[in-house]
Amino acid sequence: MPQPSTGPLLFVGCATLDSIALVQDYPAADSRTVATDFAAAGGGPAATAAVAAARAGADTAFAGVLGTDEEGDRIISGLQAEGVDTSAVIRDRGVKTGASVIIVSKATESRAIVTRPVPPVRFPAGSRFFDLLASAAWVHADHLGWNAVAGARSGSLNISVDAGNPIPSFSPRGIALYVPTVERLQAEYGAGHSPGALLRKALDDGAAAVVATAGSDGAWVLERGGDPVHVPATPADIVSTLGAGDVYHGALLAAVAAGLPLVHAAAFAGRTAAASCAGLDGRSAIPRQAITTEFASNHHS
């Protein structure tokens, strides 16, 4: 992986406003269910990853498309309160900001999501997005931000991709840090392969490094010239797993950009994501922590 980088971490893609209810069991049709708790918070893979990276001490920016509605205003305010640069966000009068209603079941530790789709992520020529792209140490794209990044990338750009959701026509070739789920790799390469074999296939397809996540089974890490390494999951007191994967991506990239070895960065990301599960929403329980302290600890161990 690259050495510690200067410049911001640019997160490109989806931002939503989430309304979340915690219940014992999912409601039945025509029922009235008493919720244990409610929360309203920002969500979306790239936006939540930006918050996680910012709370780890990284210089972060978010680029995406929001409407000119109240939901968009609240998303911008929430990101700015976390120190995330929102100067590259496009406010489009012709779209409605992405929003979701989420039911979290305590009984099954699962969730059901009803969502208003996020508008396409496109940036007109001359927009602030291209300035940030040129100065960024790393650019991270989720499934909705990938096309914008792919259309503007240069050979010198360090790109991280959240491939937990399908990305049509995506190839990991030229990607510095490819972060799919194990399930996504199985869908791509076949379910009969071991995690290590799946990671090697992703490297064969052009990725420089792969971190494949598997929820409670932890993650597998592989870099060119190395062997697959399993990083166990961190035990968690779970209120909700909403956004935990997004938190993982942001913490991972912050750690990599700070110069942490990839296996240590994956362990740091796992601990951060596990801690975030103590909150009902995807952000409130993300720890604030100094990645420089984490780097010093691992560097001298």
Side-chain angles (χ1 to χ4, degrees), residues 235-264:
D237 293 325
I238 296 175
V239 173
S240 170
T241 59
L242 180 67
D246 309 328
V247 171
Y248 185 99
H249 286 272
L252 178 69
L253 187 56
V256 167
L260 224 62
L262 189 56
V263 169
H264 293 305

Side-chain angles (χ1 to χ4, degrees), residues 13 16 21 29 56 58 76 78 81-82 84 88 99 127 133 158 170 198 219-220 227-228 233 241 246 248 261 297:
T16 64
I76 291 287
E82 297 288 349
V84 177
S127 67
L133 196 71
N158 289 324
F170 172 79
L198 291 169
W220 281 264
D227 294 316
T241 59
D246 309 328
Y248 185 99
S297 172

Side-chain angles (χ1 to χ4, degrees), residues 5-288:
S5 307
T6 57
L9 309 183
L10 175 60
F11 294 81
V12 185
C14 177
T16 64
L17 187 67
D18 296 339
S19 298
I20 311 143
L22 178 64
V23 299
Q24 183 62 34
D25 293 294
Y26 289 123
D30 296 322
S31 66
R32 181 178 184 274
T33 300
V34 176
T36 304
D37 198 6
F38 281 97
T48 298
V51 171
R55 290 197 181 185
D59 178 11
T60 64
F62 171 76
V65 177
L66 303 175
T68 55
D69 44 27
E70 180 186 1
E71 291 94 334
D73 293 342
R74 292 173 66 181
I75 289 170
I76 291 287
S77 296
L79 291 171
Q80 291 176 345
E82 297 288 349
V84 177
D85 179 354
T86 61
S87 62
V89 172
I90 300 294
R91 304 298 299 271
D92 187 340
R93 293 179 181 275
V95 304
K96 291 184 177 181
T97 298
S100 298
V101 174
I102 301 165
I103 307 296
V104 177
S105 167
K106 294 173 66 175
T108 61
E109 293 185 351
S110 62
R111 59 187 181 269
I113 301 175
V114 180
T115 190
R116 181 167 69 197
V118 175
V121 178
R122 300 189 184 96
F123 301 97
S127 67
R128 173 67 174 156
F129 165 73
F130 296 98
D131 295 333
L132 286 176
L133 196 71
S135 64
W138 280 85
V139 177
H140 175 82
D142 64 20
H143 62 296
L144 294 178
W146 168 246
N147 284 337
V149 172
R153 65 174 168 170
S154 65
S156 61
L157 198 61
N158 289 324
I159 299 177
S160 163
V161 175
D162 171 357
N165 291 304
I167 304 176
S169 303
F170 172 79
S171 166
R173 184 163 303 281
I175 302 304
L177 181 59
Y178 177 41
V179 194
T181 61
V182 168
E183 291 79 7
R184 177 52 40 201
L185 290 180
Q186 289 172 334
E188 183 69 24
Y189 300 116
H193 300 287
S194 68
L198 291 169
L199 268 65
R200 289 194 184 281
K201 287 181 177 295
L203 256 60
D204 290 344
D205 276 349
V210 184
V211 178
T213 60
S216 61
D217 288 332
W220 281 264
V221 175
L222 181 62
E223 298 180 80
R224 289 198 175 277
D227 294 316
V229 177
H230 179 239
V231 179
T234 300
D237 293 325
I238 296 175
V239 173
S240 170
T241 59
L242 180 67
D246 309 328
V247 171
Y248 185 99
H249 286 272
L252 178 69
L253 187 56
V256 167
L260 224 62
L262 189 56
V263 169
H264 293 305
F268 173 80
R271 292 193 297 273
T272 305
S276 76
C277 294
L280 176 57
D281 64 284
R283 296 186 186 173
S284 61
I286 301 172
R288 299 182 186 274

